[in-house]
Amino acid sequence: MLTHLSIRDVVLIEALDLALHPGFTALTGETGAGKSILLDSLGLAMGERANAGLVRSGAEEARVTACFETPASHTVYTHLEEQGIPADKGEPLVLRRVISREGRSRAWINDQPVGLTLLRKTASALIEIQGQHEQMGLADASTHRGLLDAYGIKPSLLKKVAQAFTHWQDLRQSLASAQQALEDAAREEEWLRHTVSELSTLAPQPGEESQLAQQRHALQQAERRGEAVAAALSELTPRDRRSSGPAAALRAANRALLRLVPSTTSDNMPPETDGLAGRIAEALSALENAENALAEAESLLSRLMADTEANPRELEETEERLFTLRTVARKHNVPVDELAALLAQLTARIHALDNGATELESLRKATEDSRLAYMEAAHALTDARALAAKKMEQAVTAELKPIKLEKARFLAELQPLSPEQWSRYGMEQVTFLIAANPGQPPGPIAKVASGGELSRLMLALKLVLAGQSGIGTLIFDEIDAGVGGATAAAIGERLHRLALNVQVLAVTHSPQVAASADAHLRIGKQTRNGQTATHAIALAETERREEIARMLAGDTITDAARAAAASLLDSKK
């Protein structure tokens, strides 16, 4: 409901702050007092079109702020959350609009800047104005189906239809995908079978590339080690017998030194040869040690050669496997590790091709069964809606006669939709129509009825649909236009009854309607320092009786008018 309305510098309104309450509030005042300006101001906060002419003379800008209290379960909070507007569920919502003297417009929701479209959509979920302003809510045909369903359809039936439709559409999508896949596979059958054969022969394994790369590196290292050992061994043992290796050199050196060793039987050796013989013996010993070390080195290298012998064939096979995998992967534009998955995927497509006709027929039958199940549930919904529509028509008709619309006919029409238009909501469109006069064909509510007729019709519909739309505040602008007496009293009684479910504000010139209200605001004008400004006053009981007396008698209020006003007020208690 609307709890506060603050207006600054809108036409004749310099500053106006209204605190509003639940129930039915009447807004009265003399013609030209500014009631329409007040509604125009509220319209600004609701996102209606604005222009610089609304800014009060001498002011830089016009500002309007409307504060609403809404149940935490209201869908408006979900909508705002989707739009990124902070709004704690159950907390007040504040709609604000500013119009500059140049005509520029800005809008906020909870102090967050928003566009007019979002402001208008949010406001339309909270409040409706019926009358001279743009019609919303019930005049919008897109809301009629939901209102009829809320009025007379079991939620379980609506849920059943929605689930049946979803199941049908899921199967339709699956069928279309399967059909497309089968057609694609048929066009590529030759390529598919060749590729699957190639990949099956190759038999790629996940992680195989990394394993082969590591194995290749290890074999290459072994090959390099073997080559180094072989080179070292060849230096010690040349294969060419004509080449002299270190062993032959050592033997030759040994033989040469042996020739210097004197015979042990000679008695004619000079004394100085004793020291030379010792050194020759040392040299021969060193050569012998060198020969032994060389033999040991040769033995060690031979054993190392045996231990590090490379397998060229294994390296060749490893490289061939690795390069083949990489070539095939590039051919299919996938990483090597995904070749196995590609094989599985293409194998599944061949399987689908081989078994596609059978599976497709089974899926087609399931889809048709789901379509029939949806139609059965939707037909039941259509029948239930037809009964609910008749019940609604009777209920609205019963409300029309007392408010001087006895000649009008209200219809809740069910219009079948083509199969392409069927939805989770059923197989028909619901439209509320009205024939305002006998012989006149029924037409859309907003186009056939006008002015006070439209407002009274909306009142009748709102009474029948009380609490179904989620709108918390209804404003009726001069709903009593052209009627009086018993009809005005009937309108007042219905507004009061409607206010048991939603907040109702009514701009009225009828004392009968005003007397039916729970609260009363008088709109007036006053002039100060040559400036005229509109103001609003909440009336106490005595002031209220005086205002209703004015509405009954005009400018000159008589005692009889005051007595009649008191009688009207007493009759509503």
Side-chain angles (χ1 to χ4, degrees):
M1 59 169 275
L2 178 64
T3 58
H4 294 87
L5 180 64
S6 176
I7 305 171
R8 295 292 184 273
D9 297 320
V10 178
V11 192
L12 295 178
I13 300 177
E14 180 180 1
L16 183 62
D17 294 290
L18 295 179
L20 301 165
H21 306 281
F24 172 24
T25 299
L27 286 78
T28 65
E30 296 180 356
T31 301
K35 298 184 294 297
S36 61
I37 298 175
L38 191 149
L39 293 185
D40 287 338
S41 300
L42 180 57
L44 290 179
M46 296 171 61
E48 291 188 9
R49 187 175 302 174
N51 58 71
L54 291 173
V55 181
R56 189 176 64 87
S57 176
E60 292 297 320
E61 62 183 20
R63 290 172 289 149
V64 182
T65 302
C67 183
F68 295 85
E69 288 185 357
T70 305
S73 59
H74 201 290
T75 56
V76 70
Y77 291 106
T78 302
H79 171 66
L80 290 175
E81 183 179 351
E82 292 172 351
Q83 299 298 320
I85 304 298
D88 294 333
K89 292 186 176 181
E91 292 298 313
L93 292 175
V94 180
L95 280 54
R96 185 159 56 96
R97 182 93 173 273
V98 173
I99 311 297
S100 71
R101 187 163 56 180
E102 292 76 24
R104 291 192 298 271
S105 171
R106 292 170 292 161
W108 293 262
I109 297 178
N110 284 6
D111 290 327
Q112 293 293 312
V114 298
L116 285 184
T117 300
L118 178 57
L119 180 69
R120 193 176 299 118
K121 186 171 183 179
T122 302
S124 67
L126 302 171
I127 184 171
E128 285 183 19
I129 299 179
Q130 309 292 347
Q132 305 304 317
H133 287 63
E134 179 183 358
Q135 300 299 320
M136 296 180 288
L138 288 173
D140 182 0
S142 66
T143 67
H144 296 174
R145 175 199 50 76
L147 291 171
L148 178 62
D149 289 348
Y151 174 75
I153 304 300
K154 293 180 179 179
S156 58
L157 180 54
L158 295 170
K159 183 178 180 181
K160 182 178 181 180
V161 172
Q163 289 176 338
F165 182 79
T166 299
H167 182 57
W168 174 33
Q169 294 306 303
D170 288 346
L171 285 174
R172 283 186 65 189
Q173 184 62 43
S174 297
L175 177 61
S177 298
Q179 181 69 45
Q180 186 63 49
L182 189 61
E183 292 174 359
D184 293 344
R187 284 194 297 269
E188 302 173 349
E189 181 176 4
E190 182 178 351
W191 175 84
L192 277 173
R193 294 191 184 279
H194 171 76
T195 302
V196 167
S197 175
E198 177 187 47
L199 292 175
S200 297
T201 302
L202 186 62
Q205 301 297 320
E208 187 177 6
E209 180 185 25
S210 176
Q211 179 184 348
L212 287 172
Q214 292 175 2
Q215 183 177 343
R216 178 190 180 215
H217 178 72
L219 290 171
Q220 287 176 332
Q221 292 293 98
E223 187 177 57
R224 282 193 289 270
R225 286 194 300 271
E227 290 173 351
V229 172
L233 191 59
S234 68
E235 292 295 327
L236 298 181
T237 57
R239 294 182 181 180
D240 187 353
R241 293 184 178 181
R242 290 173 297 180
S243 301
S244 60
L250 288 172
R251 286 192 296 272
N254 188 59
R255 286 194 301 271
L257 284 178
L258 284 174
R259 289 196 294 269
L260 296 177
V261 178
S263 172
T264 57
T265 59
S266 175
D267 296 329
N268 298 316
M269 292 182 63
E272 62 271 16
T273 59
D274 291 341
L276 178 62
R279 290 196 295 274
I280 291 174
E282 289 177 0
L284 287 172
S285 177
L287 287 174
E288 182 180 0
N289 290 336
E291 283 188 74
N292 292 336
L294 183 62
E296 184 179 0
E298 193 174 325
S299 175
L300 288 172
L301 287 174
S302 296
R303 290 200 300 272
L304 184 60
M305 183 69 178
D307 293 340
T308 59
E309 185 176 3
N311 188 340
R313 179 59 184 166
E314 184 179 3
L315 176 60
E316 180 182 348
E317 291 175 351
T318 299
E319 290 184 332
E320 182 179 357
R321 174 70 177 175
L322 179 61
F323 296 155
T324 299
L325 286 170
R326 289 175 173 174
T327 300
V328 173
R330 285 195 299 271
K331 175 181 177 181
H332 295 289
N333 196 29
V334 297
V336 172
D337 282 346
E338 292 184 14
L339 285 175
L342 177 63
L343 174 59
Q345 177 185 345
L346 298 182
T347 301
R349 289 175 65 180
I350 289 181
H351 176 77
L353 183 63
D354 293 338
N355 301 278
T358 301
E359 294 179 358
L360 198 64
E361 183 58 33
S362 175
L363 190 54
R364 187 176 288 113
K365 184 179 184 306
T367 303
E368 177 61 17
D369 290 344
S370 69
R371 184 183 74 88
L372 294 175
Y374 165 74
M375 290 181 63
E376 181 180 356
H379 280 308
L381 177 57
T382 299
D383 293 341
R385 280 178 175 158
L387 291 175
K390 290 297 181 185
K391 181 181 177 182
M392 178 186 285
E393 290 171 358
Q394 293 170 0
V396 173
T397 299
E399 296 290 348
L400 293 179
K401 185 175 181 180
I403 56 177
K404 206 176 180 180
L405 287 174
E406 64 276 3
K407 295 180 180 180
R409 287 188 304 121
F410 169 78
L411 298 173
E413 183 179 71
L414 306 185
Q415 300 166 319
L417 298 172
S418 64
E420 293 77 18
Q421 295 175 300
W422 291 352
S423 73
R424 64 193 312 273
Y425 303 111
M427 302 188 300
E428 61 276 332
Q429 177 180 331
V430 178
T431 306
F432 295 163
L433 304 174
I434 187 72
N437 299 291
Q440 180 183 17
I445 290 175
K447 293 183 178 180
V448 174
S450 60
E453 283 185 343
L454 181 56
S455 292
R456 297 199 299 277
L457 175 61
M458 291 299 180
L459 173 58
L461 283 169
K462 286 295 184 181
L463 280 168
V464 172
L465 299 171
Q468 302 297 346
S469 67
I471 301 295
T473 301
L474 296 173
I475 299 179
F476 293 89
D477 185 12
E478 298 188 3
I479 190 174
D480 51 5
V483 299
T487 301
I491 292 174
E493 185 272 331
R494 280 157 176 76
L495 288 171
H496 189 273
R497 180 152 44 102
L498 180 60
L500 297 176
N501 295 289
V502 294
Q503 182 189 41
V504 175
L505 284 77
V507 175
T508 180
H509 290 286
S510 167
Q512 291 89 349
V513 172
S516 299
D518 301 303
H520 196 146
L521 290 174
R522 184 177 66 209
I523 313 299
K525 291 190 297 185
Q526 60 184 6
T527 302
R528 288 184 301 181
N529 299 325
Q531 294 289 328
T532 301
T534 295
H535 64 273
I537 300 174
L539 301 182
E541 188 67 24
T542 301
E543 296 168 321
R544 188 177 180 193
R545 184 183 62 197
E546 196 72 7
E547 174 66 6
I548 292 176
R550 181 198 63 77
M551 297 171 71
L552 286 166
D555 293 337
T556 303
I557 303 175
T558 64
D559 290 340
R562 291 188 177 94
S567 177
L568 275 177
L569 289 170
D570 291 341
S571 68
K572 304 302 179 182
K573 293 181 179 178

